[in-house]
Amino acid sequence: LNKLIPFKLTKGQQKVLNTIMSDVQKNKPMSRLVEGDVGSGKTILALACALATVQTEVKNSKHLQVAYIAPT
């Protein structure tokens, strides 16, 4: 991810990303709500997790799916 974005994630962002990535590897559905102030990095975390999820292959299936919901 650090090669794709022009900035370094904060410790908090990295912690959330690591937790979610760990959950993606488990064999059960995951539901998450990432909450934070404007400009706290929620969008980049959601994008990173969505990309990792759709690239994860699962037995007897092609790939996992992601539903991305963002208020406007």
Side-chain angles (χ1 to χ4, degrees):
L1 179 63
N2 288 332
K3 295 178 183 179
L4 300 175
I5 57 176
F7 55 89
K8 189 174 180 177
L9 296 178
T10 65
K11 288 180 184 179
Q13 291 167 335
Q14 192 62 56
K15 181 179 178 181
V16 170
L17 185 58
N18 291 342
T19 300
I20 293 173
M21 295 302 195
S22 173
D23 284 351
V24 168
Q25 302 302 316
K26 295 178 182 173
N27 192 21
K28 63 180 184 175
M30 176 182 60
S31 178
R32 292 261 177 201
L33 173 66
V34 177
E35 182 180 15
D37 292 336
V38 172
S40 63
K42 300 177 298 292
T43 302
I44 196 67
L45 289 175
L47 176 63
C49 295
L51 290 172
T53 300
V54 297
Q55 292 178 348
T56 300
E57 293 185 28
V58 182
K59 289 182 181 180
N60 302 324
S61 180
K62 292 182 181 179
H63 293 281
L64 298 174
Q65 295 180 342
V66 172
Y68 190 91
I69 302 170
T72 58

